[in-house]
């Protein structure tokens, strides 16, 4: 084994560890993503070449790979307990008094407060600084061994950081919560919807489902996150209090929640609870309360635990976000890809300060599974910013008047045929001309992933379509002030504002445009991948299935869908009209660089032997030149290939210089600098 390889591997791992920590834990990267990727790729390649040199703590485990048939059992070093719940300041005072009574003291206690994360508790065991076993909580005494899955969670250190004043303990036991951010959850669900897979009800379920994948490669694709909240053997870092424990954990490389706060009095604890309650909706992850712990570790030890929960900590939960109401009707909505989604219309009920009138029912299977009937009394839940959902029916409240919920047999909007593909839970309207689908596509294009205009929400788009001002996407770019200002509820000012914003969007990045089209199987991520591979829309439109399949991240289904989509004459026409309406795709990065062919206009005639006409045009454009289709005074260069005909002759008559294929190739061989 060459020593150079071992050294290089070690250096790569150290660098990757450092940069992953800066990126995923500190949120403060110091190198570009591309540079990080290059290091990672180099590591993977070297390890593939020397598999014997793969270490347990190598960052390459982040991408998963181990597949197991079942999870092995892990006995926890000490029981993973749960927490007693309280809901009010009065109950918190009672808790404090109980603790004081237990400790026989009247001194005010120092507390540490932490957001109660709504994810899954895990235990991580580090031996000689290396993550060796990771497990779920399970029944508290034993859990499942999910080490490979946990190694894919980017912010969980695979090796602890140490320095001169922080020795790495031979054994360290930490606990914390694995969760999905709200953004990660929505992204995952959107992908699943596009792929016709059942959606997760909330981030917590999605995180649980992701962690318990037998194939850790799947876990690796889920953007799981982690916050540490405790240490099983705090004596090893010689900390006196929980606050110091967090300090030590942070220095070892663990992500510590930034909202953790030490409170000297019960009043401060109550204030912090109010604070968390107000900021809760602004966080990108779900919390369902606040955990309050006695900070002093020796006091924690003295207090000990009951069989269920520690006496030194309590969960002060946020008010319940559930309520019961009546399911009054079910509406069937047709989405932009034709999926028919049942939506529950509820007797309005207030949950967590918001009046809830609707709840998603996902699909037919969901209705069957929950055995829901019309006029049932149902338990409704609102969790964070997730669409409210029906947890269950309450059959005890049935009066005998309830009715079965009947799924329509044809599209409720256009009467078209409904199809349910085998293995999918989604039912789709397959009429390509379904007006409801079209409307949803237009709403989508105007929405967050497309034009992203404040003054152009769902209601406005509906109004524009109803009034006939908008029939298809290009119409957005043809609107004028008179038309808009003349509409109900619009004025000169609001019309101008929207038009100005649309004007700004007349150039759009290719990835945004592809995403905004709302093509099935093509979400934000896929759109980004496509935009990276094609410098312009024409190239993407011309790509065949094989070409698409060569792109990493594009599968069979997506490739087939894309080819079908872009060969639809209606789409080709739509794209044409877009450019006529003044819309353009933002030039790819190459074109903002110095471009040697700026100002030159090329005309091709005859056939080129070494490259296709499209490719030739592409090269000209990439270098800043333009391409003409007929001879005019604009043309500066005529490229004459084999069998060049009339155009060549005319060019000669006009005294223009002719380029041979070889001349042309030499010209475009230069890279944009
Ligand atoms: S400490 C001995 N701190 O809540 C109890 N738990 O209801 C150790 N949780 O299973 C728990 N955030 O999954 C603690 N900051 C936090 C927490 C937290 C969420 C979860 C944890 C635990 C459950 C108990």
């Amino acid at each position: 084994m060459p020593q150079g390889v071992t050294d290089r591997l070690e250096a790569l791992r150290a660098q990757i560890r450092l940069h992953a920590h800066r990126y995923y834990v500190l949120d403060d990267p110091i190198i570009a993503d591309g540079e990080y990727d290059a290091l990672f790729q180099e590591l993977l390649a070297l390890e593939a070449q020397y598999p014997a040199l793969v270490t347990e703590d190598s960052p390459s485990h982040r991408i998963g790979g181990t597949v197991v048939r079942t999870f092995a059992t892990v006995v926890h070093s000490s029981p993973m307990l749960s927490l007693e719940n309280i809901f009010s300041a009065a109950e918190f005072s009672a808790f404090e008094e109980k603790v004081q009574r237990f400790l026989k003291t009247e001194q005010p206690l120092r507390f540490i407060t932490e957001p109660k994360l709504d994810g899954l508790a895990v235990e991580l065991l580090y031996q000689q600084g290396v993550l060796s076993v990771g497990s779920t909580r399970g029944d508290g005494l034993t859990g499942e061994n999910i080490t490979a899955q946990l190694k894919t969670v980017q912010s969980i250190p695979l090796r602890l950081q140490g320095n001169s004043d922080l020795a790495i303990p031979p054994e360290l036991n930490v606990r914390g919560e694995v969760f999905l951010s709200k953004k990660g959850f929505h992204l995952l669900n959107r992908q699943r919807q596009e792929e016709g897979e059942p959606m997760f009800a909330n981030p917590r379920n999605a995180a649980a489902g992701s962690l318990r994948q037998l194939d850790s490669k799947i876990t690796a694709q889920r953007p799981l996150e982690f916050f540490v909240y405790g240490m099983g053997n705090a004596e090893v870092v010689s900390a006196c209090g929980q606050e110091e424990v967090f300090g030590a954990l942070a220095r070892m490389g663990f992500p510590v929640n930034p909202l953790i706060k030490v409170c000297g009095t019960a009043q401060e604890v109550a204030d912090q609870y109010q604070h968390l309650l107000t900021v809760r909706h602004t966080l990108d992850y779900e919390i369902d309360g606040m955990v309050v712990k006695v900070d002093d570790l020796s006091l924690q030890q003295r207090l000990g635990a009951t069989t269920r929960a520690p006496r030194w900590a309590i969960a002060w939960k946020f008010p319940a976000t559930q309520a019961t109401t009546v399911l009054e009707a079910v509406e069937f909505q047709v989405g932009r890809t034709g999926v028919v989604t049942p939506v529950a219309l509820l007797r309005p009920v207030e949950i967590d300060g918001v009046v809830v009138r609707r709840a998603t029912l996902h699909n037919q299977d969901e209705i069957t599974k929950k055995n829901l009937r019309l006029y049932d009394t149902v338990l409704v839940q609102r969790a964070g910013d997730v669409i409210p959902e029906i947890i269950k029916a309450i059959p005890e409240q049935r009066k005998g008047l309830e009715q079965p919920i009947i799924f329509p047999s044809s599209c409720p909007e256009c009467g078209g045929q409904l199809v349910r593909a085998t293995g999918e839970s989604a039912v789709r309207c397959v009429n390509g001309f379904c007006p409801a689908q079209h409307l949803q596509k237009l709403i989508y294009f105007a929405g967050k992933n497309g034009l992203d205009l404040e003054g152009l929400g769902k209601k406005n788009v509906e109004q524009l379509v109803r009034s006939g001002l908008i029939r298809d996407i290009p119409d957005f770019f043809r609107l004028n002030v008179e038309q808009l200002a003349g509409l109900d509820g619009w004025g000169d000012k609001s019309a101008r504002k929207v038009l100005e914003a649309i004007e700004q969007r007349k150039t759009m990045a290719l990835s945004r445009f592809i995403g905004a089209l709302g093509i099935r199987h093509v979400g934000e991520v896929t759109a980004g991948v496509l935009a990276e591979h094609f410098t312009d829309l024409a190239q993407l439109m011309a790509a065949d299935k094989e070409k698409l399949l060569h792109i990493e991240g594009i599968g069979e289904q997506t490739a087939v869908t894309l080819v079908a989509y872009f060969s639809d004459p209606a789409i080709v026409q739509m794209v044409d009209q877009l450019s006529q309406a003044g819309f353009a795709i933002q030039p790819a990065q190459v074109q903002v660089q110095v471009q040697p062919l700026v100002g030159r206009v090329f005309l091709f005639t005859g056939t080129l032997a070494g490259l296709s006409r499209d490719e030739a045009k592409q090269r000209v454009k990439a270098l800043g030149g333009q391409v003409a289709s007929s001879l005019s005074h604009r043309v500066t260069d005529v490229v004459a290939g084999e069998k060049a005909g009339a155009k060549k002759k005319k060019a000669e008559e006009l005294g223009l210089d002719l380029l041979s294929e070889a001349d042309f190739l030499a010209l475009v061989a230069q890279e944009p600098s």
Side-chain angles (χ1 to χ4, degrees):
M1 201 69 62
Q3 179 61 36
V5 175
T6 326
D7 291 347
R8 182 64 189 151
L9 277 171
E10 215 148 272
L12 281 170
R13 287 177 192 141
Q15 282 189 57
I16 292 170
R17 203 176 302 128
L18 167 85
H19 293 304
H21 180 252
R22 299 232 33 146
Y23 186 92
Y24 292 104
V25 178
L26 304 181
D27 196 14
D28 182 23
I30 49 173
I31 56 169
D33 293 2
E35 294 171 281
Y36 178 80
D37 290 344
L39 292 174
F40 207 95
Q41 290 308 322
E42 188 185 344
L43 174 70
L44 291 183
L46 258 189
E47 287 191 353
Q49 208 180 339
Y50 301 97
L53 298 184
V54 178
T55 55
E56 211 179 337
D57 65 343
S58 173
S60 58
H61 294 290
R62 298 285 191 210
I63 61 172
T66 329
V67 184
V68 291
R69 267 191 295 145
T70 54
F71 294 114
T73 304
V74 173
V75 180
H76 295 306
S77 55
S78 62
M80 290 184 77
L81 300 172
S82 79
L83 293 169
E84 296 292 347
N85 292 333
I86 57 168
F87 291 90
S88 66
E91 283 177 294
F92 181 72
S93 293
F95 165 76
E96 189 185 22
E97 277 167 29
K98 209 160 104 189
V99 171
Q100 285 171 326
R101 232 179 300 130
F102 192 97
L103 295 172
K104 291 210 169 59
T105 172
E106 275 161 26
Q107 297 288 313
L109 295 157
R110 182 183 153 96
F111 293 104
I112 189 158
T113 59
E114 307 165 19
K116 187 167 192 301
L117 307 156
D118 199 9
L120 290 109
V122 297
E123 178 172 65
L124 305 170
L125 181 66
Y126 289 82
Q127 286 171 316
Q128 310 303 335
V130 175
L131 174 60
S132 58
V133 185
S135 54
T136 62
R137 176 174 185 273
D139 63 7
L141 297 175
T142 60
E144 287 170 320
N145 186 330
I146 50 162
T147 313
Q149 286 68 16
L150 286 171
K151 280 185 176 175
T152 71
V153 179
Q154 299 280 3
S155 55
I156 291 182
L158 302 181
R159 167 184 280 275
L160 302 179
Q161 293 176 3
N163 55 41
S164 50
D165 56 27
L166 183 73
I168 296 295
E171 195 150 288
L172 182 80
N173 185 312
V174 303
R175 290 172 182 181
E177 200 87 346
V178 170
F179 61 96
L180 262 184
S181 68
K182 293 176 188 172
K183 197 166 145 221
F185 164 72
H186 289 304
L187 210 70
L188 177 59
N189 255 359
R190 218 176 310 141
Q191 277 171 6
R192 291 176 74 85
Q193 189 177 30
E194 277 171 14
E195 265 133 45
E197 288 180 67
M199 305 219 282
F200 289 113
N202 53 51
R204 191 189 138 80
N205 286 3
S210 303
L211 260 193
R212 294 195 72 265
Q213 289 290 332
L214 295 167
D215 179 354
S216 57
K217 270 218 163 63
I218 300 180
T219 313
Q221 287 158 14
R222 310 279 171 86
L224 291 168
E225 295 181 41
F226 177 74
F227 276 128
V228 66
Y229 59 62
M231 204 187 278
N233 48 344
E235 61 286 355
V236 300
V237 292
S238 58
C240 299
Q242 180 76 16
E243 190 188 19
E244 285 172 40
V245 169
F246 279 125
L249 286 167
R251 272 177 284 141
M252 285 189 242
F254 289 98
V256 174
N257 189 290
L259 291 166
I260 291 174
K261 184 173 188 277
V262 172
C263 297
T265 62
Q267 185 56 48
E268 273 183 46
V269 173
D271 290 346
Q272 180 62 6
Y273 176 81
Q274 286 306 327
H275 176 65
L276 289 185
L277 204 50
T278 48
V279 298
R280 141 182 221 203
H281 295 294
T282 67
L283 302 177
D284 190 36
Y285 49 87
E286 298 213 329
I287 62 174
D288 58 353
M290 177 171 89
V291 178
V292 193
K293 298 172 183 169
V294 172
D295 185 63
D296 188 314
L297 297 182
S298 60
L299 293 185
Q300 283 188 9
Q301 200 150 35
R302 277 175 62 196
L303 284 157
T306 66
T307 49
R308 230 183 72 79
R311 291 193 193 88
W312 46 266
I314 195 112
W316 188 348
K317 299 285 287 276
F318 291 145
T321 48
Q322 294 187 339
T324 58
T325 187
V326 176
L327 172 58
E328 293 189 323
V330 175
E331 196 179 86
F332 293 90
Q333 281 182 353
V334 183
R336 73 190 146 83
T337 59
V339 176
V340 179
T341 308
V343 176
L345 304 186
L346 304 166
R347 183 169 299 166
V349 59
E350 196 183 306
I351 309 179
D352 209 6
V354 172
V355 179
V356 174
R357 297 190 160 80
R358 304 159 74 85
T360 171
L361 288 172
H362 302 291
N363 52 52
Q364 187 163 19
D365 292 350
E366 192 77 11
I367 296 176
T368 315
K369 199 169 84 194
K370 289 185 176 154
N371 187 18
L372 287 182
R373 305 213 189 135
L374 224 46
Y375 315 123
D376 257 342
T377 297
V378 291
L379 184 64
V380 180
Q381 173 167 292
R382 196 181 151 256
D385 67 342
V386 180
I387 307 162
E389 66 163 347
I390 294 183
I391 301 293
K392 60 173 188 178
I394 305 177
E396 291 76 14
Q397 302 253 19
R398 280 189 182 148
K399 300 178 185 72
L401 299 169
E402 295 74 19
Q403 302 279 322
I405 297 167
I406 308 207
F407 216 87
S409 52
S410 57
C411 175
E413 300 278 352
C414 72
Q417 198 193 356
L418 292 187
V419 172
R420 178 172 177 170
T422 36
E424 282 192 13
S425 50
V427 171
R428 275 200 171 77
C429 164
V430 292
N431 172 12
F433 299 98
C434 173
Q437 285 179 46
H438 192 65
L439 173 65
Q440 294 304 324
K441 279 192 186 143
L442 293 172
I443 291 173
Y444 191 76
F445 189 84
K448 229 179 38 235
N449 296 312
L451 295 174
D452 191 20
L453 306 180
E454 234 171 64
L456 212 55
K458 185 168 179 265
K459 289 252 154 61
N460 295 120
V461 177
E462 275 171 0
Q463 182 189 28
L464 292 173
V465 171
R466 239 184 301 117
S467 65
L469 286 182
I470 295 222
R471 262 177 258 116
D472 205 350
I473 291 174
D475 297 329
F476 282 111
F477 302 100
R478 297 192 183 118
L479 293 168
N480 63 40
V481 180
E482 291 70 44
Q483 290 172 326
L484 275 185
L487 292 176
D488 235 17
W490 290 75
D492 205 57
K493 206 166 147 202
S494 54
R496 277 180 204 283
K497 215 169 135 199
V498 164
L499 287 176
E500 257 166 46
I502 292 181
E503 195 60 35
Q504 300 271 318
R505 288 285 186 204
K506 268 195 175 166
T507 49
M508 220 189 246
L510 183 57
S511 61
R512 175 177 276 269
F513 179 71
I514 299 169
L517 291 174
I519 307 165
R520 202 178 153 200
H521 304 303
V522 183
E524 243 173 293
V525 179
T526 311
V529 170
L530 290 169
E532 260 178 34
H533 277 80
F534 296 97
T535 35
D536 65 14
L537 186 61
Q539 265 203 9
L540 168 63
M541 291 178 76
D544 59 12
K545 191 173 133 191
E546 277 60 48
K547 191 154 189 185
L548 290 165
L549 283 174
H550 269 109
I551 302 172
E552 199 178 313
I554 305 294
E556 175 84 18
Q557 256 188 340
T558 311
V560 172
T561 311
L562 278 168
V563 171
Y565 183 85
F566 285 119
S567 54
D568 181 344
I571 298 299
V572 176
Q573 197 192 352
M574 189 268 286
V575 170
D576 260 4
Q577 288 183 358
L578 264 174
S579 53
Q580 281 169 29
F583 175 86
I585 299 290
Q586 233 160 49
Q589 255 172 7
V590 251
Q591 282 160 302
V592 288
Q593 296 164 339
V594 177
Q595 297 169 314
L597 299 188
V598 168
R600 289 168 75 167
V601 181
F602 287 75
L603 178 74
F604 292 94
T605 171
T607 51
L608 302 171
L611 71 177
S612 72
R613 187 67 79 83
D614 278 342
E615 197 184 345
K617 289 180 181 173
Q618 188 46 53
R619 297 236 191 132
V620 169
K621 287 184 191 162
L623 295 171
Q626 285 174 291
V627 178
S629 54
S630 61
L631 202 53
S632 73
H633 65 278
R634 286 178 51 232
V635 174
T636 58
D637 298 77
V638 176
V639 182
E642 285 285 301
K643 298 201 196 105
K647 278 190 212 158
K648 181 179 173 188
K649 234 168 114 194
K650 205 160 164 208
E652 276 167 345
E653 282 167 19
L654 287 172
L656 281 170
D657 276 349
L658 289 179
L659 298 177
S660 69
E661 179 171 346
D663 298 337
F664 174 71
L665 285 177
L667 188 63
V668 295
Q670 46 187 322
E671 293 294 328
S673 47

